[in-house]
Amino acid sequence: MSPQDVLTELTALQAGDVPTHGGATMAYVYDSGRVDIEELAAAAQAAFQWTNALDPTAFPSVARIENDLVGAALALLGGGPTAVGSLTSGGTESCLLAVLAARERWRANGGAGRPRLLLPVTAHAAFRKAAHLFDLEVVDVPVDPVTCRADVAAVGDRLDERTALVVVSAPSYPHGVLDPVGEVAALAAAAGVPCHVDACIGGWILPFLDDVPEPFDLSVPGVTSLSVDLHKYGYAPKGVSVLLAATPELRQAHWFSTAGWPGYPVVNPTLAGTRPAGAMAAAWAVHRLLGTDGYRELAGQAHEATLALVRGIADIPGIRVVGQPVATLVAVAEDGADGVDVLNLADEMTARGWLLQPQPPFAQPGGDLPATLHLTVTGATAGRVPALLADLTAAARAAAALPRPVADPELVAAAATIDPATLTVAEVDALLEVAGVGGGRLPERMAPVHALVAALPRPVAERLLSGVLDLVYRPAVEPTRP
Ligand SMILES: Cc1ncc(COP(=O)(O)O)c(C=O)c1O
């Protein structure tokens, strides 16, 4: 095929994707709305696409890029004289490594048995993945059901000699609210436990805002590590995040080195071996282009838009904003006796060209959390707030007229008898057919599917979710063998 034909075919694949640009996709993507940023990022990425960040002695350029970006992050986020950091592939990897480092430190300090990870229930799921991979026991910490901030007393009750790490979010992904970082970090420090601030989504925006209610960064006593993603509000392309550590010893604790094989001596600071340098180079370039003033301007735009959105939602009957959003994330819940079901609202917004991310209701001690819709506001949404509010108003009216999505009680009762561990892939496929997502094709209206997922026993729901992915990822069949 000619390069032109290949590219035509490749870009045609994107026809079914949600838009990455224009501000209507309010999760997954961070659109600055600025062509100059994107052109520079693409050029930087292209210049480094064949470079291997595996070995900074062979490619000193990547060491320079990493040191510059980590230095910038430390300057922005309160790193002290001993603080260091690493570039990783994204928020999940930064969170994984923070947990790995804490586990290694806990073991080195004589910790015995299975270490514990204290997680406010709103902490990102990446920490549950870390606990799964590195064999820690998750200890759930409830959040205040009204403010959705981590409950400090509940953290205190759960700290013990098996606790390897406490996590707080700045802000949390589900509700965009700031955990009481100072209070939690102080309790953790008093118990000799490290405290990680997950600022993956907020760390490159909060420092540029004037009205952040309380300090949240590495300068807060007791905070030992912090994650911040450049591929979110750093407006870099996907694949780059920063993990900061208060001391080089803590950073060393997530490194791996071996001379125990006949090949080249290996030392990996992160999970990967070969590391792509393209996104790192693009992040470096965007950072140079924007500087503090450029980021402040973009953060201000997105924040103003968020405030306007919050004010506008207050005037829409049947819905409300949850908690006090501190950055540029908003969670919308049903409000009042004539409340609007937010799962139906999500479908109505999808029909109007917007992607608002449904988040299921969540049961926890002290008060359940309602179902919400998540909205990530970026520079590109800023100019579209009036249109967004107009569509939200119309969508709320339309959603109010729809029947509430309820899970089929017979299906839920039958699911309760299933042991998900024993299900074969074919049986999962058959169950998904009954649930309305046969063949991995999602229906136009997702509200009933979300309602079902929320009603199922969690292990069954988790097995079915994997089943959907199993259907989506089926190898495409080549017409002939080469
Ligand atoms: C607070 C927080 N932590 C971690 C992550 C995981 O980041 P990633 O999707 O880059 O792996 C996210 C993603 O939105 C996040 O918001």
Side-chain angles (χ1 to χ4, degrees), residues 34 42 55 84 125 144 146 239 252 265 296 333 372 378 390 393 397 421 430 447 459:
R34 290 225 342 226
D55 187 347
V84 289
D144 181 294
V146 176
Q252 283 272 339
R296 192 180 301 284
T372 49
T378 64
T393 306
R397 215 174 293 129

Side-chain angles (χ1 to χ4, degrees), residues 28 30 89-95 122-127 129 168-174 196 198-202 227 229 231-232 238-241 329 357 374 376:
Y28 308 116
Y30 299 81
S89 65
T92 297
E93 193 182 13
S94 290
C95 299
T122 49
H124 195 275
F127 291 98
K129 183 174 182 175
V168 276
S169 303
S172 70
Y173 183 84
H196 179 81
D198 181 7
C200 279
I201 201 158
S227 48
D229 294 352
H231 68 194
K232 294 191 169 81
K238 302 293 183 222
V240 57
S241 166
L329 313 179
Q357 196 174 46
H374 169 102
T376 290

Side-chain angles (χ1 to χ4, degrees), residues 309-337:
L309 186 60
V310 169
R311 283 193 299 271
I313 290 171
D315 293 334
I316 302 177
I319 57 174
R320 67 181 170 92
V321 168
V322 174
Q324 188 201 344
V326 287
T328 47
L329 313 179
V330 177
V332 173
E334 174 169 350
D335 186 40

Side-chain angles (χ1 to χ4, degrees), residues 99-119:
V99 174
L100 176 61
R103 187 199 70 178
E104 294 299 286
R105 176 195 171 279
W106 179 83
R107 283 187 181 162
N109 288 346
R114 194 167 171 229
R116 290 184 170 144
L117 178 61
L118 253 62
L119 288 186

Side-chain angles (χ1 to χ4, degrees), residues 10-270:
L10 186 65
T11 49
L13 298 180
Q14 294 177 298
D17 293 354
V18 294
T20 53
H21 290 76
T25 304
M26 303 194 72
Y28 308 116
V29 294
Y30 299 81
D31 179 8
S32 64
R34 290 225 342 226
V35 175
D36 59 337
I37 293 178
E38 305 218 344
E39 286 179 351
L40 177 65
Q45 186 136 251
F48 275 77
Q49 63 190 332
W50 308 113
T51 299
N52 195 341
L54 167 67
D55 187 347
T57 62
F59 298 98
S61 59
V62 297
R64 170 68 197 272
I65 286 171
E66 176 148 344
N67 289 336
D68 283 352
L69 285 172
V70 168
L74 288 171
L76 201 59
L77 291 157
T82 58
V84 289
S86 302
L87 289 190
T88 75
S89 65
T92 297
E93 193 182 13
S94 290
C95 299
L96 294 180
L97 293 174
V99 174
L100 176 61
R103 187 199 70 178
E104 294 299 286
R105 176 195 171 279
W106 179 83
R107 283 187 181 162
N109 288 346
R114 194 167 171 229
R116 290 184 170 144
L117 178 61
L118 253 62
L119 288 186
V121 296
T122 49
H124 195 275
F127 291 98
R128 289 171 193 276
K129 183 174 182 175
H132 168 70
L133 290 174
F134 304 134
D135 197 26
L136 287 86
E137 177 190 335
V138 171
V139 178
D140 284 314
V141 178
V143 298
D144 181 294
V146 176
T147 65
C148 293
R149 304 174 76 213
D151 180 333
V152 179
V155 172
D157 290 346
R158 287 160 175 76
L159 280 167
D160 64 12
E161 69 289 349
R162 273 177 55 199
T163 311
L165 184 68
V166 179
V167 174
V168 276
S169 303
S172 70
Y173 183 84
H175 307 109
V177 301
L178 186 61
D179 278 334
V181 175
E183 287 173 86
V184 170
L187 275 181
V193 172
C195 175
H196 179 81
V197 175
D198 181 7
C200 279
I201 201 158
W204 220 267
I205 199 148
L206 290 174
F208 301 109
L209 305 181
D210 297 325
D211 54 354
V212 180
E214 55 188 277
F216 66 92
D217 64 17
L218 260 188
S219 65
V220 174
V223 172
T224 49
S225 57
L226 180 148
S227 48
V228 53
D229 294 352
L230 292 167
H231 68 194
K232 294 191 169 81
Y233 285 100
Y235 291 117
K238 302 293 183 222
V240 57
S241 166
V242 188
L243 174 61
L244 301 178
T247 63
E249 287 74 21
L250 187 60
R251 180 176 66 165
Q252 283 272 339
H254 65 69
W255 288 7
F256 174 78
S257 75
T258 182
W261 74 312
Y264 58 93
V266 166
V267 50
N268 293 154
T270 61

